[in-house]
Amino acid sequence: MDTQHSPDAARPVLEAPDIARALTRIAHEIVERAKGADDVVLLGIPTRGVHLAHRLADKLEGITGQKMAVGSLDTTMYRDDLRLKPARTLARTEIPADGVDGRLVVLVDDVLFSGRTIRAALDALGDIGRPRAVQLAVLVDRGHRELPIRADYVGKNIPTSLREAVRVQLAEEDGRDTVLLGLKDTAPAGEQ
Amino acid sequence: MMRHLISAADLTRDEAVRILDTAEEMARVADRPIKKLPALRGRTVCNLFFEDSTRTRISFEAAEKRLSADVINFAAKGSSVSKGESLKDTAQTLEAMGVDAVVIRHGASGAPYRLATSGWIDAPVINAGDGTHQHPTQALLDAFTMRRRLVGRDAGIGQDLAGRRITIVGDVLHSRVARSNVDLLHTLGAEVTLVAPPTLVPVGVETWPCEVSYDLDSTLAKSDAIMMLRVQRERMNAAFFPTEREYSRRYGLDGDRMAKMPGHAIVMHPGPMVRGMEITAEVADSDRCTVIEQVANGVSIRMAVLYLLLGGNESDAPNPRTEEK
């Protein structure tokens, strides 16, 4: 089906090369701000944040020549809407063997929206250890924050209306790299 | 996900695998410095134990506390139950106190079902063992232990036990563990063989989804796991076998018998073990015996069940990852 001509259809706002460039830039910014990446731990937030964290780690290894510590941090149990929705399936939490104590943790997610996932991630992180500092890297910041949270590294700011939905697709999960913007009513499952 | 957990037979394959997968994540919490999750904060869970069981009660209590629930322990002994209060009155008292879930252990088969379906109480009911009927969380923790040992900790995610051969040995007649395990293992695709003296095989076993044998030695070589059962003397009202020595000689697991099992096969026991009769110390203390692991896995499984029954307020999860970021 050709969706390009339908006015309601999701349109791509970032394509594969844009995503790759954004991640390269974020990787350089991390090295710049951390003055190297010696004590950096990248923690992806499932599902797509984990893939992005691994891609960022590859790029950081390319820049610094060091092996990066990568993990995933599931925020499900710490969500403030846990009781309002059906029980969610838990995703993986994997903390690198050296832990996060005293290190710079960079949380990685695909979309930053209300900020509630990041709040939950900060709570989850508190139960795992005490990082030296926590930073946030996101591929897309679509605005509409409900909490005083902002990202340190942003792939692209995409001003949206609340009627719209942002959908990030990554090769590891969806077979291709793209960021789609469409209307919420017509959005398939998985959009945010 | 279902609303209550009364019987292992009520679980579909997908539901059972989902519980096992969730338990795998819960198990990781036990490795952390802070072994606590906030998922059930502000919820009250009552452990309603009409029958003594320190092991199961502590396991549930640990699971509830790790999920930050408030725990009320109710032991029938010394309570108004010993003065003649009925299950209905107890249930209505708990309902009035605003309990969010009830974990019940009862000597009468069917008591948890009655509690869940009679309308006396609105909270989810989790069966922690009723009479000789069911003990679903025990079956789940056994399946979890088998999946970890036979399929692998990470490789097991999303997997069932298809094609695995499990032998359950001993007092099947009095065992809710055997009943629950036969139901769940069948759902998960395993082939189950019951081995017991003819006097300890229940009437109607031919309708169960399993094989029955009276000869332990012939089943050893083809078993991926051997589950020994406790001989429940307290439930025996007649002589079911001549002597302990006779039972031990035919149905006890010793080093010689263990040597006939395949190299990867494991030995399980729901505990408490009667050493020297069901199982020799040599087998009980070997690497292949999973008794201690089963205890640890029990907490993870009970956390998973409590989380899935109490974590949300609706019955069906459309897409767990469509959330407001």
Side-chain angles (χ1 to χ4, degrees):
Chain A
M1 189 177 78
D2 185 3
T3 54
Q4 294 293 323
H5 301 295
S6 158
D8 291 340
R11 65 186 165 81
V13 285
L14 285 180
E15 297 284 11
D18 307 317
I19 292 174
R21 264 199 304 279
L23 290 176
T24 305
R25 179 170 49 73
I26 290 174
H28 281 284
E29 284 174 9
I30 291 173
V31 176
E32 178 80 21
R33 273 187 58 174
K35 299 184 176 62
D38 294 345
D39 65 347
V40 169
V41 178
L42 296 164
L43 290 183
I45 294 173
T47 314
R48 288 172 183 78
V50 180
H51 300 307
L52 291 172
H54 281 278
R55 290 192 195 183
L56 265 179
D58 289 344
K59 291 192 186 290
L60 282 167
E61 280 169 35
I63 299 166
T64 63
Q66 292 169 326
K67 186 97 185 106
M68 298 301 301
V70 196
S72 59
L73 183 66
D74 182 42
T75 61
T76 307
M77 295 296 231
Y78 297 84
R79 296 193 61 83
D80 55 8
D81 60 355
L82 200 58
R83 290 180 64 171
L84 308 176
K85 295 186 176 176
R88 298 150 184 272
T89 306
L90 300 187
R92 290 297 276 281
T93 293
E94 262 174 56
I95 305 300
D98 293 341
V100 296
D101 289 345
R103 304 183 69 168
L104 172 62
V105 170
V106 179
L107 296 171
V108 185
D109 204 359
D110 52 355
V111 181
L112 179 59
F113 184 18
S114 65
R116 288 177 189 265
T117 297
I118 302 305
R119 184 211 58 78
L122 291 171
D123 277 358
L125 203 51
D127 278 359
I128 286 161
R130 188 182 182 282
R132 171 170 72 76
V134 184
Q135 296 179 347
L136 174 62
V138 295
L139 182 62
V140 174
D141 182 349
R142 62 165 296 191
H144 306 289
R145 215 77 76 241
E146 292 165 9
L147 294 170
I149 283 172
R150 78 178 172 77
D152 299 88
Y153 314 103
V154 180
K156 188 172 172 68
N157 283 298
I158 303 179
T160 57
S161 90
L162 282 170
R163 288 175 54 243
E164 287 173 316
V166 175
R167 187 176 187 198
V168 173
Q169 295 185 321
L170 295 175
E172 296 91 332
E173 195 77 22
D174 315 287
R176 65 168 181 160
D177 278 3
T178 182
V179 177
L180 300 169
L181 184 63
L183 287 180
K184 215 162 207 166
D185 305 339
T186 58
E191 305 205 6
Q192 39 222 326
Chain B
M1 191 67 193
M2 55 211 302
R3 194 166 139 60
H4 307 284
L5 182 61
I6 305 298
S7 164
D10 298 341
L11 291 168
T12 63
R13 181 214 172 263
D14 289 348
E15 281 172 336
V17 169
R18 189 173 182 212
I19 293 172
L20 301 187
D21 289 351
T22 306
E24 198 66 72
E25 292 307 319
M26 295 297 185
R28 290 167 193 274
V29 177
D31 302 333
R32 292 205 209 149
I34 297 177
K35 299 176 179 48
K36 217 162 161 77
L37 292 167
L40 298 185
R41 208 177 56 206
R43 305 285 193 104
T44 307
V45 181
C46 180
N47 298 322
L48 193 55
F49 276 61
F50 290 92
E51 200 181 59
D52 293 335
S53 170
T54 311
R55 185 183 299 245
T56 305
R57 187 181 57 74
I58 292 179
S59 181
F60 268 106
E61 197 174 335
E64 289 149 8
K65 287 184 170 168
R66 279 191 187 169
L67 290 174
S68 306
D70 295 321
V71 181
I72 299 175
N73 281 311
F74 174 100
K77 207 176 276 178
S79 76
S80 293
V81 173
S82 55
K83 300 173 194 161
E85 192 184 61
S86 68
L87 179 61
K88 179 179 179 180
D89 292 329
T90 308
Q92 288 178 334
T93 304
L94 295 176
E95 174 76 355
M97 288 178 182
V99 165
D100 294 300
V102 178
V103 175
I104 177 172
R105 154 74 62 112
H106 204 291
S109 304
Y113 178 79
R114 185 91 175 108
L115 191 62
T117 55
S118 56
W120 299 330
I121 189 164
D122 199 30
V125 174
I126 299 169
N127 184 358
D130 58 333
T132 58
H133 175 228
Q134 280 279 339
H135 194 357
T137 54
Q138 176 75 39
L140 285 161
L141 78 88
D142 288 337
F144 183 72
T145 308
M146 287 179 219
R147 195 177 79 167
R148 273 195 154 185
R149 280 285 194 116
L150 300 174
V151 186
R153 192 173 167 158
D154 290 331
I157 296 288
Q159 302 291 311
D160 55 18
L161 292 166
R164 309 284 160 167
R165 285 184 288 210
I166 319 294
T167 305
I168 301 176
V169 187
D171 184 0
V172 177
L173 179 63
H174 299 102
S175 178
R176 53 190 168 214
V177 175
R179 272 173 188 75
S180 314
N181 265 295
V182 168
D183 290 334
L184 183 68
L185 291 171
H186 174 71
T187 303
L188 289 172
E191 295 167 24
V192 185
T193 306
L194 297 175
V195 179
T199 49
L200 288 174
V201 174
V203 174
V205 76
E206 58 280 356
T207 60
W208 296 16
C210 62
E211 302 282 311
V212 179
S213 165
Y214 305 124
D215 179 19
L216 177 57
D217 290 295
S218 67
T219 58
L220 289 171
K222 56 179 184 183
S223 300
D224 295 305
I226 302 249
M227 187 184 298
M228 305 305 294
L229 299 174
R230 187 169 67 84
V231 176
Q232 303 197 28
R233 295 205 155 267
E234 74 277 14
R235 293 184 205 275
M236 290 189 184
N237 50 9
F240 286 93
F241 46 84
T243 62
E244 284 190 10
R245 192 172 143 71
E246 168 85 4
Y247 179 90
S248 175
R249 202 170 55 77
R250 295 204 55 183
Y251 299 101
L253 192 62
D254 56 17
D256 291 342
R257 286 205 164 106
M258 189 167 70
K260 291 183 195 154
M261 293 162 51
H264 65 272
I266 55 170
V267 177
M268 309 180 71
H269 197 298
M273 291 186 280
V274 181
R275 288 179 182 228
M277 183 175 172
E278 300 141 12
I279 191 164
T280 61
E282 180 192 0
V283 178
D285 296 331
S286 79
D287 293 346
R288 302 169 80 169
C289 184
T290 61
V291 175
I292 302 299
E293 266 172 68
Q294 285 170 268
V295 175
N297 291 344
V299 178
S300 306
I301 280 290
R302 285 165 184 136
M303 286 172 79
V305 167
L306 284 161
Y307 165 68
L308 290 171
L309 288 184
L310 274 168
N313 73 340
E314 288 171 48
S315 57
D316 232 3
N319 183 341
R321 297 269 137 233
T322 48
E323 59 211 23
E324 301 291 300
K325 285 271 173 175

